[in-house]
Amino acid sequence: MTKTLTDIQAELAGCRRCELCETRTNIVFGVGNPQAEVLFIGEAPGKQEDLGAEPFIGAAGQYLNTLLALAGLTREEIYIANVLKCRPPLNRDPHPSEIEVCTPYLRDQVRAINPDVLVTLGNFATRFILQTDRGITGLRGQIHLTGRFSVLPIFHPAAAIYDHSKGPLMEDDFRLLGRLLEKRRAEKTERGLA
Ligand code: SF4
């Protein structure tokens, strides 16, 4: 039976499956519309997210909100979760062992929300969802398929804040997301599913 988001959050409470439990302030479960059409998947909580127990509330979150408008979306319509639910110290990269033990929670979140589109933000989320070693630079700008999901890899907003050359590419990718959603909604209407 598919677990609900409430079941998954209860299971996650107090998790000590990896060493990040020693340094976190809060577990950052995820937030948004539980029936979202689009699930955004980031890497791991940063400092603000660790303190606030919510993903994408720092500078990267502000930038993400601006970009969402280019796809015709609001923050309330989407769901956002991370690959890792606890902050790695000093925002270091996630270790493979941490990804392995934490991602069953993300898999359950994907099943519970059952979105049409997964937007993977940055290398770690993209590699995990597409099960690839390829980097984000070669995968962004195209729609990929995995199972029944359309997957759109996009640079992590935090990377684009530090490297302004990524900004126009991010904007192109969010416009592509908007077109993808319009197409999927039109197909659903045609099939009488909307
Ligand atoms: S990162 Fe994931 S697996 Fe590790 S302690 Fe936090 S919730 Fe548990």
Side-chain angles (χ1 to χ4, degrees):
M1 205 176 82
T2 306
K3 295 175 193 167
T4 65
L5 289 175
T6 310
D7 295 335
I8 304 160
Q9 194 161 12
E11 211 176 284
L12 191 61
C15 177
R16 303 188 64 81
R17 285 186 194 174
C18 80
E19 67 180 14
L20 298 182
C21 68
E22 306 289 349
T23 47
R24 73 181 174 222
T25 310
N26 286 296
I27 292 177
V28 182
F29 178 65
V31 72
N33 176 356
Q35 276 117 32
E37 193 179 13
V38 191
L39 171 58
F40 282 73
I41 304 173
E43 180 176 315
K47 187 176 178 191
Q48 297 304 322
E49 291 77 17
D50 175 56
L51 293 173
E54 209 177 289
F56 287 92
I57 51 175
Q62 299 292 326
Y63 184 39
L64 178 63
N65 293 350
T66 313
L67 291 164
L68 283 173
L70 297 174
L73 290 167
T74 63
R75 188 79 178 233
E76 293 68 35
E77 287 173 286
I78 63 164
Y79 198 96
I80 309 187
N82 284 313
V83 170
L84 294 188
K85 310 304 187 201
C86 302
R87 181 190 182 208
L90 302 173
N91 297 346
R92 65 153 170 76
D93 286 348
H95 293 161
S97 60
E98 292 159 357
I99 294 175
E100 190 182 335
V101 293
C102 200
T103 44
Y105 297 121
L106 177 64
R107 286 184 201 281
D108 283 345
Q109 284 175 302
V110 173
R111 284 189 201 104
I113 297 163
N114 197 23
D116 288 334
V117 179
L118 304 176
V119 175
T120 53
L121 299 169
N123 272 321
F124 286 93
T126 302
R127 287 181 178 150
F128 173 70
I129 292 295
L130 292 180
Q131 294 291 297
T132 178
D133 290 332
R134 290 180 64 198
I136 183 77
T137 306
L139 294 167
R140 59 146 293 275
Q142 305 153 53
I143 296 157
H144 304 258
L145 294 175
T146 185
R148 56 168 290 280
F149 303 111
S150 296
V151 180
L152 186 58
I154 295 183
F155 288 122
H156 195 286
I161 288 175
Y162 293 106
D163 175 0
H164 293 292
S165 69
K166 291 190 166 72
L169 301 176
M170 298 278 287
E171 291 172 15
D172 286 350
D173 290 350
F174 274 81
R175 288 191 194 97
L176 174 61
L177 173 62
R179 293 196 296 279
L180 170 65
L181 292 173
E182 271 173 29
K183 186 165 168 266
R184 291 196 69 121
R185 287 171 194 152
E187 286 168 0
K188 275 187 171 176
T189 306
E190 228 169 66
R191 297 201 311 267
L193 297 173

Coordinates of all heavy atoms in Angstrom, one line a residue, residues 20-28 45-53 85-88:
L20 N 24.6 12.4 9.6 CA 24.1 13.8 9.6 C 23.2 14.1 10.7 O 22.9 15.2 11.0 CB 23.5 14.0 8.2 CG 24.4 13.9 7.0 CD1 23.7 14.2 5.7 CD2 25.7 14.8 7.2
C21 N 22.7 13.0 11.3 CA 21.8 13.2 12.5 C 22.5 13.9 13.6 O 21.9 14.6 14.5 CB 21.1 11.9 12.9 SG 22.3 10.8 13.7
E22 N 23.8 13.8 13.6 CA 24.6 14.3 14.8 C 24.7 15.9 14.6 O 25.0 16.5 15.6 CB 26.0 13.7 14.8 CG 26.1 12.2 14.8 CD 25.7 11.7 16.1 OE1 25.5 12.4 17.1 OE2 25.4 10.4 16.2
T23 N 24.7 16.4 13.4 CA 25.0 17.8 13.2 C 23.8 18.6 12.8 O 23.8 19.9 12.7 CB 26.1 18.0 12.2 OG1 25.8 17.1 11.1 CG2 27.4 17.6 12.8
R24 N 22.7 18.0 12.4 CA 21.5 18.7 11.9 C 20.9 19.5 13.1 O 21.0 19.1 14.3 CB 20.5 17.8 11.3 CG 19.8 17.0 12.4 CD 18.8 16.0 11.8 NE 18.2 15.2 12.9 CZ 18.0 13.9 12.8 NH1 18.3 13.2 11.7 NH2 17.5 13.2 13.8
T25 N 20.1 20.6 12.7 CA 19.2 21.2 13.7 C 17.9 20.6 13.6 O 17.2 20.2 14.5 CB 19.2 22.7 13.5 OG1 20.5 23.2 13.4 CG2 18.4 23.4 14.6
N26 N 17.4 20.5 12.3 CA 16.1 19.9 12.0 C 16.2 19.0 10.8 O 17.0 19.2 9.9 CB 15.1 21.1 11.6 CG 14.7 21.9 12.8 OD1 14.0 21.4 13.7 ND2 15.1 23.2 12.8
I27 N 15.3 18.0 10.8 CA 15.0 17.2 9.6 C 14.2 18.1 8.7 O 13.2 18.7 9.1 CB 14.3 15.9 9.9 CG1 15.3 15.0 10.8 CG2 13.9 15.2 8.7 CD1 14.6 13.7 11.2
V28 N 14.5 18.2 7.4 CA 13.8 19.0 6.5 C 13.0 18.0 5.5 O 13.6 17.5 4.6 CB 14.7 19.9 5.7 CG1 13.9 20.8 4.7 CG2 15.5 20.8 6.6
P45 N 19.4 20.2 2.6 CA 19.1 21.5 3.2 C 20.4 22.3 3.4 O 21.5 21.7 3.6 CB 18.6 21.1 4.6 CG 18.2 19.7 4.5 CD 19.1 19.1 3.5
G46 N 20.3 23.6 3.3 CA 21.4 24.5 3.6 C 21.2 25.1 5.0 O 20.4 24.6 5.7
K47 N 22.0 26.1 5.3 CA 21.9 26.6 6.7 C 20.5 27.1 7.1 O 20.0 26.8 8.1 CB 23.0 27.8 6.8 CG 23.1 28.3 8.2 CD 24.2 29.3 8.3 CE 24.3 29.9 9.7 NZ 25.1 31.0 9.8
Q48 N 20.0 28.0 6.2 CA 18.6 28.5 6.5 C 17.6 27.4 6.6 O 16.7 27.5 7.5 CB 18.2 29.5 5.4 CG 19.1 30.7 5.3 CD 19.2 31.5 6.6 OE1 18.2 31.6 7.4 NE2 20.4 31.9 6.9
E49 N 17.7 26.5 5.7 CA 16.7 25.4 5.7 C 16.8 24.5 6.9 O 15.8 24.0 7.5 CB 16.9 24.5 4.4 CG 16.5 25.2 3.1 CD 17.6 26.3 2.6 OE1 18.7 26.2 3.1 OE2 17.2 27.1 1.8
D50 N 18.1 24.3 7.3 CA 18.3 23.5 8.6 C 17.7 24.2 9.8 O 17.1 23.5 10.6 CB 19.8 23.3 8.7 CG 20.2 22.6 10.0 OD1 19.7 21.5 10.2 OD2 20.9 23.2 10.8
L51 N 17.8 25.5 9.8 CA 17.2 26.2 10.9 C 15.7 26.3 10.9 O 15.0 26.2 11.9 CB 17.8 27.7 11.0 CG 19.3 27.7 11.3 CD1 19.9 29.2 11.1 CD2 19.6 27.2 12.7
G52 N 15.2 26.5 9.6 CA 13.8 26.7 9.4 C 12.9 25.5 9.2 O 11.7 25.5 9.1
A53 N 13.6 24.3 9.0 CA 13.0 23.0 8.8 C 12.1 23.0 7.5 O 11.1 22.3 7.4 CB 12.1 22.6 10.0
K85 N 17.7 14.7 3.7 CA 16.7 15.4 4.6 C 17.5 16.2 5.7 O 16.8 16.9 6.5 CB 15.7 14.5 5.3 CG 15.0 13.5 4.3 CD 14.3 14.3 3.2 CE 13.5 13.4 2.3 NZ 13.2 14.0 1.0
C86 N 18.8 16.0 5.9 CA 19.5 16.7 6.9 C 20.7 17.4 6.2 O 21.2 16.9 5.2 CB 20.1 15.7 7.9 SG 18.8 14.8 8.8
R87 N 21.1 18.5 6.8 CA 22.2 19.4 6.2 C 23.5 18.7 6.4 O 24.0 18.4 7.6 CB 22.2 20.7 6.9 CG 23.2 21.6 6.3 CD 23.4 22.9 7.2 NE 24.4 23.8 6.5 CZ 25.1 24.6 7.2 NH1 25.0 24.8 8.5 NH2 26.0 25.4 6.5
P88 N 24.3 18.6 5.3 CA 25.7 18.2 5.5 C 26.5 19.3 6.1 O 26.3 20.5 5.6 CB 26.2 17.8 4.1 CG 24.9 17.7 3.3 CD 23.9 18.6 3.9

